[in-house]
């Protein structure tokens, strides 16, 4: 999708479809007021009739004027406006343009009095780009081709920059979705490692892949234990983006990438087990973020660490009862091989802290079913040891509308993962506070680095109860990419 900015000349604009936003119960197209009198009366009637209901789209033919059609897009009530309104509605517009097989379409952003123009153009770009992604790699019949977009707004450096950033951010989210959606027979740990190599070469990042033997030698006991049941060997993927000053501490991002989670010897029930192909989504989020930060050339140091394994049952698998030694040197008693994510993450967190002495560590993981019980499928769980860090993430969450909710973690929860026979056990006490006890296990992996853990079990892909959004079609959502890119741009 090519995106152009053109100074507004609305009714003179030669375009297949001129698209404008309409507030509820208004008879005006926003940003179009000054040319109202020139719009023919039947169009005025159509604006009144569609009444600006949120998400509603009306396409009207316009004989006699240069735009071939006008599209009216309802924004709903002004009081209900939020940081997702324009993104959501723009997505609907773009999908309509594709449905009509258009080669291009044009959008008039609302005026500054309704929404600040930087935010509005960013949302338009993100909404359109993300909504036109569809996972059709394995379909014989592909979607219609993607139309180009003209945004009709007075050109300025600021606007052009905002659009360029939004394009990269949206591309990052789409990339994360596209690798997150890959089936488990086509995406193994080595495949993800390969993707990381490819993006690192394109954008000048350092990429280091640690393979099975070296992992064992270096003491990554969690990653090797979980990975030993599969013939698809584990990989630890490390991407470095070094554009800050030499002695500036980096921010470390860690992402769980279990390319398929059967549960291992503690086998999961069959129902919906296919969805465990999405158990790699935390890692995919980190890869997508790293791709975007390198394209944005952010002037900071950022490290992405992605432990990747396949959790399979078999003669070589780790078992309930095993005691393993993690990278931190602490021992863990395995009580359930399906609580594998915390084991591979613990290794990656300890490694990140030891190797990089980072300013902050943020991890993403489809870690617990309990997170879905607690918060549902539209809000991610967050657990942190540092209020400043978690508050910054909440702020970015409000801006990007990728929602997170913080849960507590005090010493009582830490006690719940203590083992009788090892330093820790990989499950808590029964099912109580499952999301928090998983985080308690992770907290043992780091010393005192500011850390935030984001459990994306409910939000990483569309499930029962997921709010429908044009930019989140069925499958992986890329949750966290926009959130953390906002955070990183504001640190
Ligand atoms: N990947 C799953 C968590 C999960 C389950 C995410 C369903 C999204 C939907 C994780 O590895 C897991 O199996 N966790 C167990 C932990 C339990 C054994 C302590 C869980 O949540 O049941
Ligand atoms: Mn599991
Ligand atoms: Zn898992």
């Amino acid at each position: 999708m090519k995106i152009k900015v053109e100074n507004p000349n609305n009714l003179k604009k030669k375009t297949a479809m001129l698209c404008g936003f309409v507030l509820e119960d208004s008879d005006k197209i926003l940003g179009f007021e000054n040319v109202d009198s020139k719009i023919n009366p039947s169009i005025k009637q159509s604006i009144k009739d569609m009444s600006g209901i949120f998400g509603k789209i009306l396409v009207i033919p316009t004989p006699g004027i240069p735009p071939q059609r006008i599209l009216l897009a309802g924004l709903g009530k002004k009081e209900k406006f939020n940081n997702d309104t324009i993104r959501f509605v723009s997505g609907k517009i773009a999908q309509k343009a594709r449905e009509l097989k258009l080669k291009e379409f044009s959008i008039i952003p609302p005026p500054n009095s309704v929404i600040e123009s930087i935010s509005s153009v960013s949302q338009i770009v993100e909404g359109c780009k993300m909504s036109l992604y569809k996972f059709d790699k394995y379909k014989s019949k592909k979607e219609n081709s993607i139309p180009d977009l003209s945004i009709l707004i007075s050109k300025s450096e600021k606007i052009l920059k905002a659009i360029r950033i939004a394009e990269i951010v949206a591309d990052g989210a789409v990339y994360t979705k596209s690798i997150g959606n890959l089936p488990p027979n086509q995406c193994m740990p080595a495949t993800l490692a390969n993707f990381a190599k490819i993006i690192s070469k394109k954008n000048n990042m350092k990429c280091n892949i640690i393979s099975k033997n070296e992992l064992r030698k270096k003491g990554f006991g969690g990653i090797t234990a979980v990975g030993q049941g599969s013939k698809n060997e584990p990989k630890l993927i490390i991407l470095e983006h070094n554009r800050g000053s030499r002695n500036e501490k980096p921010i470390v991002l860690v992402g769980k990438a279990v390319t398929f989670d059967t549960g291992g010897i503690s086998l999961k029930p069959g129902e919906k087990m296919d969805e465990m192909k999405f158990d790699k989504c935390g890692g995919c989020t980190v890869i997508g973020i790293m791709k975007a930060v390198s394209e944005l050339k952010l002037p900071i140091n950022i490290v992405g660490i992605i432990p990747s394994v396949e959790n399979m049952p078999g003669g070589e698998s780790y078992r309930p009862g095993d005691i393993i030694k993690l990278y931190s040197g602490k021992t863990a008693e395995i009580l359930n091989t399906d609580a594998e994510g915390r084991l591979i993450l613990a290794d990656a967190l300890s490694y990140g802290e030891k190797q990089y002495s980072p300013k902050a560590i943020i991890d993403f993981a489809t870690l617990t079913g309990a997170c879905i019980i607690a918060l549902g499928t539209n809000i991610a769980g967050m657990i942190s040891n540092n209020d400043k860090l978690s508050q910054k993430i909440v702020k970015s969450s409000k801006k990007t509308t990728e929602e997170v909710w913080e849960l507590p973690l005090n010493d009582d929860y830490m006690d719940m993962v203590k083992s009788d026979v090892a330093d820790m056990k990989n499950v808590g006490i029964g099912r109580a506070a499952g999301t928090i006890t998983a985080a308690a296990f992770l907290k043992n992996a780091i010393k005192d680095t500011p850390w935030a853990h984001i459990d994306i079990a409910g939000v990483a892909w569309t499930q029962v109860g997921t709010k429908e959004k044009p930019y989140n079609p069925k499958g992986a959502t890329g949750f966290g990419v926009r959130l953390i890119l906002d955070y990183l741009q504001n640190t």
Side-chain angles (χ1 to χ4, degrees):
M1 167 179 244
K2 275 202 219 97
I3 299 178
K4 278 196 293 192
V5 180
E6 287 178 35
N7 290 323
N9 60 349
N10 302 336
L11 286 180
K12 290 195 194 123
K13 168 75 183 162
K14 284 205 180 100
T15 177
M17 189 159 81
L18 181 65
C19 311
F21 298 101
V22 182
L23 282 168
E24 192 162 322
D25 294 329
S26 149
D27 60 355
K28 288 189 167 69
I29 303 176
L30 290 169
F32 216 93
E33 285 90 340
N34 51 344
V35 284
D36 255 6
S37 56
K38 294 186 195 150
I39 305 182
N40 86 40
S42 76
I43 298 178
K44 263 214 115 136
Q45 192 57 49
S46 300
I47 300 173
K48 268 193 182 149
D49 291 349
M50 69 96 62
S51 69
I53 304 285
F54 177 75
K56 202 166 153 184
I57 297 277
L58 184 66
V59 181
I60 41 186
T62 51
I65 56 173
Q68 285 171 24
R69 308 165 181 77
I70 285 183
L71 178 150
L72 308 172
L75 286 184
K77 292 201 172 68
K78 185 144 185 233
E79 310 87 79
K80 284 218 154 183
F81 228 81
N82 63 35
N83 290 331
D84 200 42
T85 307
I86 297 289
R87 187 181 299 108
F88 186 106
V89 177
S90 299
K92 291 250 166 183
I93 296 174
Q95 288 178 343
K96 186 50 120 183
R98 179 175 60 188
E99 184 193 316
L100 295 172
K101 301 195 177 135
L102 306 184
K103 287 208 175 61
E104 53 74 38
F105 63 109
S106 307
I107 296 184
I108 310 161
N112 254 317
S113 54
V114 177
I115 172 177
E116 190 262 318
S117 58
I118 298 293
S119 165
S120 117
V121 294
S122 307
Q123 287 188 49
I124 289 172
V125 171
E126 289 173 7
C128 289
K129 286 204 89 157
M130 292 197 295
S131 301
L132 292 178
Y133 163 74
K134 188 159 187 266
F135 181 57
D136 59 5
K137 191 167 191 238
Y138 298 97
K139 286 261 194 193
S140 309
K141 190 176 174 298
K142 308 285 185 203
E143 268 295 337
N144 296 340
S145 57
I146 290 178
D148 292 332
L149 166 65
S150 301
I151 301 177
L152 308 181
I153 190 169
S154 304
K155 268 187 208 177
S156 72
E157 262 322 300
K158 268 187 163 173
I159 293 281
L160 293 172
K161 188 176 168 206
I163 289 174
R164 194 183 51 90
I165 293 174
E167 284 190 81
I168 294 174
V169 170
D171 282 342
V174 166
Y175 183 77
T176 293
K177 288 175 198 241
S178 71
I179 59 176
N181 280 327
L182 290 174
N185 62 335
Q186 300 296 328
C187 185
M188 287 76 80
T191 324
L192 285 178
N194 224 5
F195 292 148
K197 268 188 219 152
I198 292 168
I199 63 164
S200 73
K201 279 203 189 113
K202 270 196 193 142
N203 295 299
N204 259 316
M205 283 188 287
K206 242 170 104 178
C207 178
N208 183 21
I209 312 293
I210 308 184
S211 295
K212 186 176 155 185
N213 289 336
E214 208 184 330
L215 286 168
R216 183 169 300 138
K217 270 188 229 144
K218 290 191 162 144
F220 290 92
I223 299 173
T224 47
V226 179
Q228 74 195 34
S230 171
K231 74 174 182 13
N232 299 313
E233 294 180 357
K235 302 280 176 194
L236 181 63
I237 304 163
I238 301 151
L239 283 165
E240 283 183 34
H241 165 88
N242 295 316
R243 283 186 178 269
S245 59
R246 251 179 167 282
N247 43 20
E248 183 194 289
K249 291 176 169 182
I251 290 170
V252 165
L253 306 173
V254 174
K256 168 181 174 182
V258 176
T259 59
F260 195 68
D261 182 11
T262 64
I265 297 297
S266 315
L267 193 65
K268 284 182 182 297
E271 201 195 342
K272 289 202 194 159
M273 200 203 273
D274 61 294
E275 293 192 358
M276 285 298 116
K277 69 180 176 186
F278 294 120
D279 213 20
K280 61 184 177 302
C281 283
C284 297
T285 291
V286 172
I287 297 177
I289 294 169
M290 295 307 288
K291 175 177 180 287
V293 295
S294 61
E295 289 173 4
L296 289 168
K297 302 190 164 60
L298 288 190
I300 47 178
N301 300 326
I302 310 168
V303 181
I305 305 181
I306 301 108
S308 185
V309 296
E310 186 178 40
N311 188 18
M312 293 289 267
E316 317 247 296
S317 297
Y318 80 134
R319 337 154 176 71
D322 282 0
I323 295 177
I324 64 171
K325 191 169 192 176
L326 299 170
Y327 189 83
S328 61
K330 292 183 185 172
T331 55
E333 180 192 12
I334 307 305
L335 289 177
N336 189 323
T337 62
D338 197 11
E340 84 296 341
R342 63 198 74 185
L343 302 171
I344 67 168
L345 283 171
D347 277 358
L349 291 168
S350 305
Y351 177 78
E353 183 178 53
K354 182 168 170 223
Q355 196 73 10
Y356 296 99
S357 314
K359 275 200 273 229
I361 309 183
I362 305 171
D363 79 74
F364 294 89
T366 49
L367 202 60
T368 63
C371 192
I372 303 174
I373 305 299
L375 297 172
T377 48
N378 294 296
I379 303 188
M382 173 165 69
I383 284 133
S384 176
N385 62 2
N386 184 290
D387 286 345
K388 253 195 177 158
L389 175 62
S390 64
Q391 272 160 28
K392 273 193 189 164
I393 293 173
V394 167
K395 205 170 154 198
S396 291
S397 160
K398 297 213 162 112
K399 247 170 88 185
T400 56
T401 67
E402 293 203 302
E403 293 203 57
V404 300
W405 196 265
E406 191 169 357
L407 301 170
L409 173 52
N410 65 20
D411 286 348
D412 295 338
Y413 295 106
M414 298 302 287
D415 290 343
M416 290 166 76
V417 292
K418 284 186 178 155
S419 159
D420 296 335
V421 292
D423 298 330
M424 297 174 277
K425 53 180 175 165
N426 79 332
V427 297
I429 297 172
R431 289 160 69 180
T435 302
I436 303 175
T437 52
F441 188 93
L442 298 181
K443 194 179 174 210
N444 275 302
I446 46 171
K447 298 194 175 93
D448 44 18
T449 306
W451 159 72
H453 157 64
I454 302 180
D455 192 330
I456 56 172
V459 295
W461 71 96
T462 57
Q463 314 177 31
V464 186
T466 302
K467 187 177 143 77
E468 269 191 52
K469 294 176 180 170
Y471 61 82
N472 279 345
K474 247 179 142 184
T477 60
F479 186 101
V481 174
R482 290 190 297 109
L483 170 73
I484 293 307
L485 286 173
D486 183 81
Y487 163 82
L488 292 170
Q489 288 179 84
N490 293 301
T491 46

